[in-house]
Amino acid sequence: MKKKQKNNKKKRNHLPFRLNVLFFIVFLLFSILILKLGLTQIVYGEDYRREIEKKEEVTVSASVPRGKIYDRNGKVIVDNLPLNAITYTGYQGTTAEERLKVARDLAIFIDKDTKDVTERDKKDFWMLTHPEEALEKVTDAELKKLDDGDLEATDIYKLQLNRITEEELATITGQELEVLAIYREFSGYALTPQIVKSNSENKNDEVSEQEYAVVSEHLSQLPGVDTTTDWVREYPYGDTFRTVLGNITSSKEGLPSEVATYYVAKEYSRNDRVGKSYIEKQYEDVLHGQKEKVKNITDKAGNPLNQEVITEGANGKDLVLSIDMDLQIAIEKIIEEELVTAKSKSGSAFLDRAFVVMMNPTTGEVLSLAGKQYVKNDQGEVEFLDFARGTFQLSYAMGSTVKGATVLTGFETNTIKPGTTFIDSPLNINGLPKGSYKVLGPVNDLDALKKSSNVYMFHTAIGVGEGNYAYGKPLYINTAAFDTFRYYFSQFGLGVKTGIDLPGEQTGFAGTDTLPGLLLDLSIGQYDTYTPLQLAQYVSTIANGGYRVKPQIVKDIHQPSDGQNGLGPILKEFKPEILNRVDMKKEYIEQVQEGFRQVMQESGGTAVGSFGDKPYKPAGKTGTAQVDVDKSENVAYAHNLTLIGYAPYDNPEVAFSVVAPTADYGNSKTSINLNIGERILDEYFNLKQNRANGTEQEVIDEAESELTDPTSEEENE
């Protein structure tokens, strides 16, 4: 018992000692903590305070040049031209008064064009430079309503603007107006450079070498101002193919409002230039390039403290098009000359344009996409506008060129078969005659294509529509035949999008009425409308044996070139893309191929006069479509003249379409479709031969000199 009491006493003696040790450790920890806090607040407090007040903004520096665009032979067709520029970068917290001071100082060193200054700009500037007078424009009662919440600040602002007089605005002249013109360019997002003056924006406002040098010398006196290099798109071939190449926004336009959110999400700056049409728009992600990203360190007031490069910039990637610019130039010249000739012969007031599409029928590569519009300027002089976009954005009734698709529809529906014969004499439907351009007598499917028989197609359409024709009686058909025709036509690319890599492609017009006579019109290409590009895809599908190939404008994407060694390494090559295989027997397509060959090479063919003796052995089909026109001159209709073809017929390497809307007018007749078709095929094979012989450059130089020689047209005539 005593021993147990003794052990308990020892335990009680050890307990205070352990507690003392624990308290001592806690004391030491608190002492260290207090010491650390003291060091943080007293020794490093100011540094930490400044660090906390800092903030980071990630922005993008001046834009990098876009990628170049080349033709299939490596010739630059869209380039970048470097230009001097003066920019201003505002910082967060920069006041209007500070920006105004910079504008006044900068106006000493540069001249600024003022033609874009608006009345609203003047009013805002007057209020900025006359704050007390601006305040007097509103009454105390109106200010009280502002305090009471009955008026918004914007309401007061509008009242001030409306009460500024013409006499007050008239004081903004001379140097002060230039200051205003400079100041208005300073508006924009913080840390984003705004172009104040650049050769690319306004020809009347270019940066002179002297201005560039003087501003560079005084940058320390001009906070936010910098001298840099801007760029503008340059077109070595002028307006050739210009509408399809597309446009980009200016630095003032920046991102289009309808797509701004999309581009901002992709880390674009709001004043970035982007493609806004056609190739520039379609391949924006490729051409835009990688902008240099910079981390801007600012203090709480928004003043810059430091910059750190996060990502190095890189020029946009380069595009190589399938277009052959030498061929394109030659074809555009041919169209212009033939338009002049046709108008002089026909006197048609409606013939003002023509289109040509040339493509490789096997790969889908578009070799030429050409359109020209004939206009007269205010002085009565003839001018030609590039209208290449019309090849895939405008549609027309194409006439007999679609008869190959009609024959194939007849074959596939078992309405006719190779060798089926009909008597070509005018039909009479309920008293209305419908016939060919002349009575052709007995014709089979090949004759119908070679001689362009309408009646043969009418009988085929009646069969597809399960109709029973009787002379002079009404015609009844199964209206499902319209869908049947359009289904088979679409397999060749007629009435559907071709898939070309360009925005804005149109499909044409499909008629909605289903009267029996309209089915007959559909079978000869005088009801639905198609684009010139659809025609080219259609004939390519026949030429290559039934494969509808996607037309392609871009061949390759390359790394940016260094400017010395031509194109950079290839990044992506576009392979031929087959959209569908025509659901028809091979022998059916071969039968139509033979009919197309006879059109251009055998006696009686509608195009043999232009192509019968050509060494490149073409095949194709002519077309004429009657269309209504303005009847003010007592002429009820005109004719669209068209032509499709390919060559050589036994090993096609090029296919084409020609469309000349409203070419014939009244009693006047032209052969503009045949003339253009013959000349463009001649040009294609001559250019091919000249390249093989090494004489290409001489031919090109001669062609380009004719384009600029004012006497060349007279010599050609």
Side-chain angles (χ1 to χ4, degrees):
M1 183 69 176
K2 289 182 179 180
K3 188 176 180 180
K4 187 176 181 181
Q5 290 176 347
K6 187 176 180 180
N7 289 336
N8 289 337
K9 184 176 182 182
K10 286 181 178 180
K11 289 179 180 178
R12 287 195 296 270
N13 290 337
H14 285 297
L15 186 60
F17 174 77
R18 291 175 180 174
L19 287 173
N20 290 335
V21 171
L22 179 61
F23 289 147
F24 180 72
I25 292 172
V26 172
F27 172 75
L28 286 177
L29 292 174
F30 271 104
S31 298
I32 293 170
L33 179 60
I34 292 169
L35 179 62
K36 187 68 175 175
L37 288 173
L39 287 171
T40 300
Q41 292 182 350
I42 299 171
V43 180
Y44 302 114
E46 187 63 24
D47 293 339
Y48 286 140
R49 185 185 64 78
R50 286 196 299 267
E51 197 69 28
I52 290 172
E53 288 182 350
K54 290 182 182 179
K55 64 178 180 178
E56 297 178 355
E57 290 287 341
V58 177
T59 188
V60 180
S61 67
S63 59
V64 296
R66 290 173 74 82
K68 298 180 182 180
I69 302 178
Y70 297 79
D71 86 332
R72 66 184 300 109
N73 300 308
K75 297 183 177 182
V76 179
I77 55 180
V78 182
D79 205 345
N80 298 307
L81 181 65
L83 301 166
N84 291 336
I86 297 171
T87 64
Y88 174 79
T89 304
Y91 300 100
Q92 292 184 351
T94 303
T95 65
E97 289 74 16
E98 290 171 334
R99 292 198 301 270
L100 179 59
K101 181 180 185 307
V102 175
R104 292 193 187 282
D105 293 341
L106 184 57
I108 298 172
F109 304 118
I110 67 172
D111 293 323
K112 177 67 177 171
D113 185 62
T114 61
K115 69 179 182 64
D116 292 332
V117 173
T118 65
E119 181 177 313
R120 176 62 174 271
D121 293 329
K122 291 182 178 180
K123 288 185 176 182
D124 286 332
F125 188 74
W126 185 89
M127 289 175 61
L128 175 64
T129 55
H130 299 78
E132 294 182 1
E133 292 91 330
L135 186 58
E136 294 174 357
K137 295 290 182 182
V138 291
T139 66
D140 292 339
E142 289 166 339
L143 291 175
K144 186 177 185 304
K145 287 184 179 181
L146 177 64
D147 294 336
D148 295 340
D150 296 331
L151 285 178
E152 299 289 339
T154 54
D155 297 324
I156 298 297
Y157 170 67
K158 291 177 182 178
L159 290 173
Q160 291 173 303
L161 287 179
N162 292 334
R163 292 167 183 175
I164 297 174
T165 66
E166 292 292 333
E167 291 76 13
E168 289 168 331
L169 292 183
T171 62
I172 305 174
T173 58
Q175 181 76 2
E176 193 73 355
L177 189 59
E178 285 195 50
V179 172
L180 163 56
I182 293 172
Y183 179 81
R184 70 193 291 270
E185 305 295 350
F186 286 2
S187 61
Y189 291 87
L191 303 176
T192 301
Q194 308 294 325
I195 291 180
V196 177
K197 189 174 184 180
S198 170
N199 297 17
S200 65
E201 299 293 340
N202 182 352
K203 289 297 181 184
N204 298 320
D205 202 27
E206 295 183 347
V207 180
S208 68
E209 293 296 331
Q210 181 179 358
E211 287 177 327
Y212 192 84
V214 171
V215 172
S216 298
E217 292 173 2
H218 294 83
L219 291 179
S220 60
Q221 305 170 29
L222 302 165
V225 175
D226 196 8
T227 51
T228 185
T229 301
D230 192 21
W231 55 268
V232 66
R233 280 309 219 185
E234 184 179 37
Y235 303 91
Y237 292 92
D239 289 338
T240 302
F241 198 53
R242 184 67 185 82
T243 57
V244 177
L245 291 173
N247 294 306
I248 61 173
T249 60
S250 68
S251 61
K252 288 184 178 180
E253 290 177 290
L255 302 179
S257 58
E258 64 273 15
V259 292
T261 303
Y262 167 78
Y263 283 122
V264 168
K266 299 184 71 172
E267 299 186 347
Y268 279 62
S269 298
R270 291 196 176 263
N271 67 334
D272 275 351
R273 284 168 286 193
V274 298
K276 62 181 181 180
S277 60
Y278 306 110
I279 292 176
E280 293 275 17
K281 179 179 181 180
Q282 183 74 15
Y283 289 93
E284 168 63 27
D285 290 346
V286 175
L287 294 167
H288 182 70
Q290 176 62 53
K291 296 178 70 177
E292 182 184 64
K293 289 186 179 180
V294 178
K295 180 189 292 183
N296 290 274
I297 311 299
T298 66
D299 60 20
K300 189 174 182 180
N303 298 314
L305 298 176
N306 190 21
Q307 279 190 342
E308 177 185 340
V309 175
I310 299 174
T311 305
E312 296 289 343
N315 288 11
K317 299 175 183 65
D318 297 334
L319 297 181
V320 175
L321 306 186
S322 60
I323 296 294
D324 185 329
M325 282 303 282
D326 298 330
L327 181 63
Q328 180 79 17
I329 291 171
I331 288 176
E332 289 187 7
K333 183 173 185 292
I334 289 169
I335 294 174
E336 291 178 4
E337 292 174 350
E338 292 299 332
L339 277 173
V340 170
T341 300
K343 284 189 74 66
S344 66
K345 289 182 177 179
S346 71
S348 172
F350 301 100
L351 173 60
D352 68 344
R353 65 194 64 181
F355 305 98
V356 169
V357 178
M358 295 192 84
M359 61 187 291
N360 184 314
T362 303
T363 67
E365 293 179 358
V366 178
L367 305 174
S368 177
L369 207 61
K372 284 291 183 177
Q373 186 172 19
Y374 177 108
V375 298
K376 288 189 176 182
N377 60 25
D378 295 338
Q379 289 73 43
E381 301 167 333
V382 174
E383 293 181 352
F384 289 97
L385 306 180
D386 182 64
F387 205 10
R389 63 180 178 81
T391 55
F392 58 92
Q393 287 193 327
L394 298 178
S395 64
Y396 302 93
M398 297 300 188
S400 299
T401 50
V402 309
K403 287 178 178 177
T406 297
V407 169
L408 287 167
T409 300
F411 288 160
E412 191 60 23
T413 57
N414 295 316
T415 301
I416 59 173
K417 61 183 179 179
T420 295
T421 299
F422 292 113
I423 303 298
D424 184 307
S425 61
L427 304 184
N428 188 299
I429 300 174
N430 203 29
L432 297 175
K434 288 182 79 71
S436 301
Y437 59 96
K438 68 177 182 179
V439 176
L440 299 174
V443 290
N444 61 23
D445 52 311
L446 295 179
D447 295 328
L449 292 173
K450 179 174 69 173
K451 299 177 182 180
S452 200
S453 168
N454 286 348
V455 173
Y456 193 96
M457 306 304 152
F458 294 158
H459 282 298
T460 300
I462 292 170
V464 173
E466 303 171 351
N468 292 310
Y469 168 71
Y471 188 89
K473 302 294 184 180
L475 176 65
Y476 300 97
I477 60 165
N478 184 344
T479 57
F482 284 92
D483 293 332
T484 301
F485 266 100
R486 287 167 181 152
Y487 167 73
Y488 288 112
F489 277 30
S490 69
Q491 290 195 34
F492 295 93
L494 295 174
V496 294
K497 288 189 176 182
T498 65
I500 192 170
D501 50 330
L502 289 171
E505 182 185 7
Q506 301 299 309
T507 59
F509 170 78
T512 56
D513 288 339
T514 56
L515 296 174
L518 296 177
L519 181 67
L520 307 190
D521 292 341
L522 176 63
S523 71
I524 62 171
Q526 300 202 50
Y527 187 38
D528 288 1
T529 65
Y530 314 108
T531 68
L533 183 61
Q534 288 174 338
L535 269 194
Q537 187 181 57
Y538 150 64
V539 74
S540 294
T541 305
I542 291 176
N544 67 33
Y547 295 91
R548 186 166 76 98
V549 184
K550 175 183 176 180
Q552 191 71 41
I553 285 288
V554 174
K555 276 174 55 57
D556 310 311
I557 298 174
H558 290 252
Q559 285 281 18
S561 65
D562 57 12
Q564 298 176 349
N565 301 319
L567 285 165
I570 190 169
L571 291 175
K572 181 177 181 180
E573 181 179 1
F574 291 90
K575 303 293 185 181
E577 183 178 342
I578 297 174
L579 300 177
N580 62 271
R581 169 74 168 90
V582 174
D583 185 21
M584 294 177 183
K585 294 180 181 179
K586 180 180 179 182
E587 54 264 35
Y588 289 168
I589 295 177
E590 289 175 345
Q591 187 78 349
V592 172
Q593 289 174 341
E594 172 59 20
F596 279 10
R597 184 195 68 80
Q598 292 184 17
V599 168
M600 289 189 166
Q601 294 188 48
E602 287 199 359
S603 176
T606 55
V608 70
S610 298
F611 295 96
D613 59 351
K614 298 299 181 182
Y616 45 76
K617 299 179 294 185
K621 184 71 188 76
T622 56
T624 303
Q626 181 175 304
V627 291
D628 293 333
V629 294
D630 184 355
K631 300 179 181 179
S632 60
E633 297 180 31
N634 296 319
V635 177
Y637 60 87
H639 291 104
N640 298 338
L641 299 184
T642 60
L643 180 69
I644 57 173
Y646 55 90
Y649 79 90
D650 53 353
N651 186 26
E653 61 182 79
V654 62
F656 71 91
S657 68
V658 177
V659 178
T662 59
D664 283 351
Y665 178 59
N667 295 322
S668 65
K669 301 294 179 183
T670 70
S671 300
I672 184 173
N673 55 337
L674 293 172
N675 295 341
I676 291 177
E678 178 184 5
R679 292 182 64 184
I680 63 173
L681 271 189
D682 287 351
E683 185 64 37
Y684 172 85
F685 286 101
N686 288 340
L687 186 58
K688 178 182 176 181
Q689 186 63 47
N690 290 333
R691 284 171 172 161
N693 296 337
T695 59
E696 172 192 2
Q697 192 56 49
E698 297 175 13
V699 176
I700 294 170
D701 291 343
E702 180 180 352
E704 290 181 346
S705 67
E706 288 181 357
L707 284 174
T708 57
D709 183 357
T711 64
S712 61
E713 189 172 302
E714 295 179 7
E715 292 171 357
N716 289 332
E717 290 178 354

